[in-house]
Amino acid sequence: MGFTNDPTSGPPEEPEQNPFKGTPFEALFSGGGGAGLGPAGFGGMDLSALMGQVQAMMQPYDGPINWDVAIDMARRAAAQQPDPSPTARDKDAVADAVRLADHWLDSATDLPSGVTTTAAWSRAEWIVNTTDAWKVLVEPIAAQAVDSLGKALPEEARAMAGPLIGMLSKATGAMVASQVGSGLGALAGEVLGATDIGLPLAAPGVAALVPENVKAFAGGLDVDDADVTLYLALREAAHQRLFANVPWLREHLIGAVTDYARGIEINTSAMEEQVRGLDLTNPAALQDAFEGGMFDLAQSPAQRAALQRLEITLALVEGWVDEVVGQATAERMPAAAKLQEAVRRRRAAGGPAEQTFASLVGLELRPRRLRDASTLWGSLRTRQGTEARDGVWMHADLLPTASDLDDPLGFREDATAPESLSLTDEDFEAGLRGLLDGPGDDRPQE
């Protein structure tokens, strides 16, 4: 290799250039000894020993991310503050609030109830019960991240690493898992329920609140705790109605996330600065290095379109919930206006935990145009009635666009469907009836 470890043979020759130079794995394959696999590393360390060290960083797992690590880290993060299990009284209070909320919503929308069961969760229970949904949302982003990092290695480095490539890929998946876990742990400290971020994270039909977080939210408001719980139960039940009766909506949102993930490109040069000089066999050091967020994204036009589609749809979902809950509480809850404003600001701006999650996994879930969407739905109801307002959810192509949110009072002034759908009045009415009848085998398919 052009060098020697024999101290009697004179000064060693200049080491050959590390083929991993300029990549996130330069430190691991440097010639500085220790855990390195550069010239000194190959001369002084058995390859199998290093492979054992690297493998000790992780346990076998399937997919692009080690979810066992992610969930463990999330629960550890959530446990940094008191997280008592909900009492029987908490569970009864949530169940009673959701039951009353569903009754009130019957007067505000013809969409039937989507609630099949209620739950009161601790923060740790929120993490466990929403994991399946997060897998669907995060794995496309994680898979693209792992793939991009693997491609950061030049060809000569790939040949040199040999069997370590697979291990490094798994190590990257473990690092991504630590980021996701940190983000979910932060979110668990703030979320109020199963649909608080605008997506249905629990199993279908499960309306859940997190009493400890609800109490913290109520603490900053001059509103009775029971009113706060009821108002949040109204929002939870309204989300459940929408997602239960609009079967394409969940996939529409997830599809936008997947489309966004397809174009992700990791800024490996920024990562090189983060990990250069680190001991890559030290998981704690790796975690510290990546806590600032690894997703420095250069968005393509397709990504920007997918992100806009996600943001607009989230705004429409949140705006519809805001409008329906406002209608249901108008004559019943004097404190509703104050609670509506508090929730609007919270959702539109995103809390610290939501911002942390966005920086860690590159995914923002903020409905920035919530107010415009709420105005649009309210205006449509005033002009054409609740059936016309709710009938827009019959098909994705009927949804308002960004330009419609620019003029929310003018949406569907002519009360006609887009020409691209070629819907007759009879077709629209038939589809609307299917939407209002609720889930069932005889529902018209998209």
Side-chain angles (χ1 to χ4, degrees), residues 141-224:
I141 297 174
Q144 190 66 27
V146 172
D147 183 63
S148 296
L149 288 170
K151 291 177 180 177
L153 294 176
E155 287 300 323
E156 61 271 25
R158 289 174 179 271
M160 180 179 177
L164 279 176
I165 291 294
M167 285 190 174
L168 291 172
S169 177
K170 290 296 184 183
T172 302
M175 288 187 283
V176 175
S178 72
Q179 288 192 276
V180 173
S182 296
L184 290 181
L187 274 179
E190 292 186 2
V191 290
L192 303 175
T195 59
D196 191 40
I197 65 167
L199 296 173
L201 297 178
V206 177
L209 295 180
V210 183
E212 198 67 16
N213 291 346
V214 171
K215 293 172 187 175
F217 175 68
L221 305 170
D222 186 20
V223 179
D224 183 75

Side-chain angles (χ1 to χ4, degrees), residues 104 217 221-224 226-228 230-232 234-235 321-344:
W104 285 13
F217 175 68
L221 305 170
D222 186 20
V223 179
D224 183 75
D227 279 351
V228 175
L230 177 56
Y231 189 84
L232 296 176
L234 281 158
R235 288 182 48 81
V321 168
D322 184 81
E323 138 71 10
V324 169
V325 171
Q327 186 185 357
T329 57
E331 304 296 330
R332 296 183 174 103
M333 184 184 289
K338 179 181 290 188
L339 289 166
Q340 180 187 52
E341 183 61 24
V343 170
R344 279 181 172 183

Side-chain angles (χ1 to χ4, degrees), residues 136-428:
V136 175
L137 289 168
V138 173
E139 283 194 352
I141 297 174
Q144 190 66 27
V146 172
D147 183 63
S148 296
L149 288 170
K151 291 177 180 177
L153 294 176
E155 287 300 323
E156 61 271 25
R158 289 174 179 271
M160 180 179 177
L164 279 176
I165 291 294
M167 285 190 174
L168 291 172
S169 177
K170 290 296 184 183
T172 302
M175 288 187 283
V176 175
S178 72
Q179 288 192 276
V180 173
S182 296
L184 290 181
L187 274 179
E190 292 186 2
V191 290
L192 303 175
T195 59
D196 191 40
I197 65 167
L199 296 173
L201 297 178
V206 177
L209 295 180
V210 183
E212 198 67 16
N213 291 346
V214 171
K215 293 172 187 175
F217 175 68
L221 305 170
D222 186 20
V223 179
D224 183 75
D225 287 357
D227 279 351
V228 175
T229 299
L230 177 56
Y231 189 84
L232 296 176
L234 281 158
R235 288 182 48 81
E236 182 73 14
H239 277 102
Q240 295 292 343
R241 288 192 183 219
L242 189 60
F243 281 100
N245 292 283
V246 184
W248 55 263
L249 182 55
R250 182 190 297 257
E251 292 303 319
H252 183 77
L253 287 165
I254 293 173
V257 175
T258 303
D259 290 344
Y260 179 75
R262 284 196 186 105
I264 286 179
E265 294 182 1
I266 305 301
N267 186 340
T268 55
S269 62
M271 289 190 61
E272 292 159 17
E273 295 300 322
Q274 288 179 303
V275 302
R276 183 173 287 117
L278 288 176
D279 176 4
L280 295 192
T281 63
N282 183 346
L286 290 173
Q287 178 183 339
D288 291 341
F290 286 93
E291 278 183 349
M294 69 180 351
F295 296 90
D296 187 0
L297 308 177
Q299 294 178 353
S300 66
Q303 276 186 286
R304 287 193 291 271
L307 185 59
Q308 183 186 54
R309 176 157 58 97
L310 177 64
E311 290 181 342
I312 293 300
T313 307
L314 283 174
L316 292 173
V317 169
E318 294 294 278
W320 184 89
V321 168
D322 184 81
E323 138 71 10
V324 169
V325 171
Q327 186 185 357
T329 57
E331 304 296 330
R332 296 183 174 103
M333 184 184 289
K338 179 181 290 188
L339 289 166
Q340 180 187 52
E341 183 61 24
V343 170
R344 279 181 172 183
R345 293 189 179 192
R346 182 178 182 275
R347 287 296 292 122
E354 192 169 333
Q355 294 166 11
T356 298
F357 184 79
S359 69
L360 287 173
V361 302
L363 178 63
E364 289 191 353
L365 298 170
R366 285 189 288 168
R368 292 181 175 84
R369 306 199 65 179
L370 185 158
R371 294 175 188 271
D372 292 332
S374 182
T375 299
L376 182 149
W377 293 124
S379 172
L380 185 58
R381 172 180 56 82
T382 300
R383 288 182 282 112
Q384 300 177 26
T386 57
E387 285 193 357
R389 178 198 64 194
D390 299 343
V392 175
W393 292 103
M394 184 180 68
H395 194 287
D397 290 347
L398 290 174
L399 288 185
T401 63
S403 60
D404 290 323
L405 292 181
D406 293 336
D407 180 24
L409 299 180
F411 176 64
R412 292 197 68 196
E413 280 185 321
D414 54 1
T416 60
E419 292 182 2
S420 61
L421 287 177
S422 301
L423 289 178
T424 65
D425 290 341
E426 292 76 12
D427 291 335
F428 184 85

Side-chain angles (χ1 to χ4, degrees), residues 16-198:
E16 295 177 6
Q17 184 175 356
N18 181 0
F20 293 87
K21 186 174 180 60
T23 77
F25 308 111
E26 178 179 359
L28 180 61
F29 293 94
S30 67
L37 263 189
F42 275 120
M45 175 179 285
D46 181 39
L47 179 62
S48 62
L50 180 64
M51 291 175 68
Q53 280 186 322
V54 175
Q55 188 153 11
M57 294 173 57
M58 72 209 83
Q59 296 296 322
Y61 63 94
D62 296 324
I65 181 171
N66 189 333
W67 280 101
D68 289 338
V69 169
I71 299 308
D72 181 65
M73 290 200 64
R75 297 187 67 168
R76 288 174 182 268
Q80 295 302 308
Q81 51 186 322
D83 185 28
S85 297
T87 64
R89 183 176 180 179
D90 291 329
K91 295 176 182 178
D92 289 343
V94 170
D96 290 343
V98 173
R99 190 179 303 112
L100 180 57
D102 250 344
H103 175 67
W104 285 13
L105 290 172
D106 286 338
S107 65
T109 176
D110 291 328
L111 297 185
S113 172
V115 176
T116 58
T117 186
T118 62
W121 290 337
S122 66
R123 297 181 180 112
E125 288 171 333
W126 178 88
I127 293 170
V128 172
N129 286 295
T130 63
T131 297
D132 287 344
W134 287 115
K135 287 181 180 179
V136 175
L137 289 168
V138 173
E139 283 194 352
I141 297 174
Q144 190 66 27
V146 172
D147 183 63
S148 296
L149 288 170
K151 291 177 180 177
L153 294 176
E155 287 300 323
E156 61 271 25
R158 289 174 179 271
M160 180 179 177
L164 279 176
I165 291 294
M167 285 190 174
L168 291 172
S169 177
K170 290 296 184 183
T172 302
M175 288 187 283
V176 175
S178 72
Q179 288 192 276
V180 173
S182 296
L184 290 181
L187 274 179
E190 292 186 2
V191 290
L192 303 175
T195 59
D196 191 40
I197 65 167

